[in-house]
Amino acid sequence: MRTYTVAILGATGAVGTRLMEQLEQSTIPVSSVKLLASKGSAGKTLTFKEEDVVIEEATPEAFDGVDIVLASAGGSVSKRLLPEAVKRGAVCIDNTSAFRMEPDVPLVVPEVNPEQLRHHHGIIANPNCSTIQMVVALKPLAERFGLNQVIVSTYQAASGAGQSALNEFFEQSQAYLDNRRMEANILPTKGDKKHYPLAFNLLPQIDVFEDDGYTHEEWKMIHETKKIMRNDMNDSKLKVTATCVRVPVPISHGESVYVELNNKNATVADVFNALGTGEGIILEDDPSHQVYPQPLNAEGKRDTFVGRIRADKENPGAFNLWVVSDNLLKGAAWNTVEIAERLVAGDLVHVK
Amino acid sequence: MRTYTVAILGATGAVGTRLMEQLEQSTIPVSSVKLLASKGSAGKTLTFKEEDVVIEEATPEAFDGVDIVLASAGGSVSKRLLPEAVKRGAVCIDNTSAFRMEPDVPLVVPEVNPEQLRHHHGIIANPNCSTIQMVVALKPLAERFGLNQVIVSTYQAASGAGQSALNEFFEQSQAYLDNRRMEANILPTKGDKKHYPLAFNLLPQIDVFEDDGYTHEEWKMIHETKKIMRNDMNDSKLKVTATCVRVPVPISHGESVYVELNNKNATVADVFNALGTGEGIILEDDPSHQVYPQPLNAEGKRDTFVGRIRADKENPGAFNLWVVSDNLLKGAAWNTVEIAERLVAGDLVHVK
């Protein structure tokens, strides 16, 4: 049996910690693990499967002998280092946005478009967290009924902005309850000028603004969803629009998804049945027992939870859904490791 | 100049406290104020314009001599007592849902359909908080471009469920930060069986469930919006659908509103201009300076804040908006007192 040397690029962040966990629990036969980070973190020690692993500086040469790279150290790091890793024969699964929209880079959610994995040239991109859980929910609907339009409003957790944003959010929460001034230095987005408190507030800005007034997060949801669903689900005219809002929740994104199907005769029972058999989906939809997806319940789980399924009675073939998933697991670390598992199972860990 | 005896029914709640404040600051020439509550609260003292007022028990006879009633003590109390008040010559503005959908009861937001005030028969209904701020934002668009469809996802504050829910939410927040178990006895809705923590969570249930899977809050947004906009804005076919979510925010609701206009040629600049001149609206929309509506900034203000105005480039005439307002002021106490001000200004404080 082939075994694999796996490198984790950016192992110390909110996603990185979970990449380690998910890799420990995975079916991948790991012969050795390499932890790569910036010079500042090199020399520190982390534990993988109860063994100490010393963090090395992420240089091009550090990828010598590596089979699989799981990358989550920021877009600029991926851009600089992943081509070097590929040159050395490694297959890279990138959790940043660096390569997602490159035409020859597969953008993969294993439950949705696993066939794209066969076409990789060394780099496979992991979609944005808010995109992943939405396309998992859309897949069974696309397959059975076709998709015409998707209108999504997100309720995104603080951890999506990283561990430091999550820490800041908790500090703000305690300050508010103590009637002290809330400090804001990171959220809504590190890369922008002004910072606002998220605790007990709503911030309708995730990532920076584009010229058309959409944020880059909204842009990602629109264009990544199209890349995934249009190519693979044959919904070549799928329309998508998005409003992304950061909410005072630590982990797990919520999404209010309005979907117009091509099949205008689909009933709410049809949609319920389709979602109920969807891969990676757990239905939580029982109004009479107040059962519906909640972030606190989704935290730590790999699934995408779907509920509040309702027909828009005035628009045949249109439905409202409520979708929740752990943004650090299915939205990031688990989707990345799941891609690696599929590559291993399909004997696809080699650069063509 | 005519002066008015004003009774407040339910003065001790989250809305009641603000009804007192808004009435104190209003232009209404109040000769005397009567505070009415259940037997349990009778005898307690509250302050109105620096004078002590003893709370009386709310009985039919307590409305003798009252000109205006501001009611916010729950639907069943309104149902029982407001007809008695009307019988005694009082004009009642009801903040509960008791009479909203009665065909002969005007459902009024002064910025939207003030002309309906002329047709009252003693009772005027204040719409649901989440409806009010949305129709304020929709009004200038309906007037200039006509409305075809509205798809709204709400981000509603804990205080919408009352003062006790707000207290519970703060206690949960501190418990979570202290790593203690969160107690839930009120939210998502007092009237239902199960209770879940709101702190650091999202609850996609506001009010009880209807048979079709929508919550009663969603039903209210759909049907109240139609009653207000269809009758008055001539949008007789306006379609509305809603997903209502309680978020861990104390005060001020957020709403992600997707609106399809009848005029498919309207540009984002047209929509921007229309909203900028809308009554009761403050535009907060400057992405280059990260200006957009936030609940923490809206708290304590009477206006409805609108921002994040974006065209859906794939659907001509369709736009995304982000709308925030203080649910206890414009969503309740201020809209109620504003109706009373308009009645006084129009000499409409008499029962036909």
Side-chain angles (χ1 to χ4, degrees), chain B residues 75-88:
Chain B
S76 59
V77 177
S78 282
K79 230 166 208 155
R80 186 163 48 84
L81 287 175
L82 297 194
E84 297 288 343
V86 174
K87 238 188 256 171
R88 288 165 175 80

Side-chain angles (χ1 to χ4, degrees), chain A residues 196 212 226 290 313-314, chain B residues 196 212 226 290 313-314:
Chain A
Y196 306 116
D212 60 5
K226 287 182 183 183
Q290 293 173 264
K313 283 173 264 183
E314 298 179 302
Chain B
Y196 306 116
D212 59 4
K226 286 182 182 185
Q290 293 173 267
K313 283 174 264 181
E314 298 179 300

Side-chain angles (χ1 to χ4, degrees), chain B residues 89-223:
Chain B
V91 175
C92 304
I93 308 160
D94 185 22
N95 190 47
T96 80
S97 64
F99 299 99
R100 284 179 193 154
M101 297 311 290
E102 302 273 322
D104 62 342
V105 171
L107 184 65
V108 176
V109 179
E111 292 82 358
V112 180
N113 59 346
E115 65 287 351
Q116 289 294 323
L117 291 174
R118 287 195 297 272
H119 310 308
H120 80 78
H121 303 289
I123 298 177
I124 293 146
N126 206 50
N128 189 46
C129 47
S130 53
T131 307
I132 293 176
Q133 70 184 66
M134 184 166 79
V135 297
V136 167
L138 292 177
K139 164 70 186 273
L141 304 180
E143 219 165 35
R144 297 217 198 166
F145 312 112
L147 301 180
N148 177 49
Q149 187 175 17
V150 173
I151 298 161
V152 59
S153 298
T154 70
Y155 302 63
Q156 294 184 233
S159 57
Q163 187 63 51
S164 56
L166 184 58
N167 296 343
E168 175 174 280
F169 163 58
F170 284 137
E171 281 160 25
Q172 288 169 352
S173 300
Q174 190 57 67
Y176 182 99
L177 292 172
D178 293 346
N179 214 8
R180 286 183 285 117
R181 212 182 100 78
M182 294 191 271
E183 297 284 338
N185 300 303
I186 299 169
L187 288 160
T189 181
K190 236 184 224 169
D192 218 333
K193 286 178 221 87
K194 291 188 196 168
H195 302 287
Y196 306 116
L198 174 65
F200 303 99
N201 198 17
L202 299 166
L203 295 176
Q205 180 192 359
I206 302 184
D207 212 330
V208 294
F209 282 98
E210 306 284 333
D211 289 341
D212 59 4
Y214 285 85
T215 58
H216 192 56
E217 183 84 357
E218 290 158 356
W219 187 95
K220 286 181 208 166
M221 285 201 82
I222 293 167
H223 294 280

Side-chain angles (χ1 to χ4, degrees), chain A residues 82-110:
Chain A
L82 297 194
E84 296 290 342
V86 173
K87 236 188 260 172
R88 287 165 175 80
V91 175
C92 304
I93 307 161
D94 185 22
N95 191 47
T96 80
S97 64
F99 299 98
R100 286 179 193 155
M101 297 312 290
E102 303 274 321
D104 62 342
V105 171
L107 184 64
V108 176
V109 179

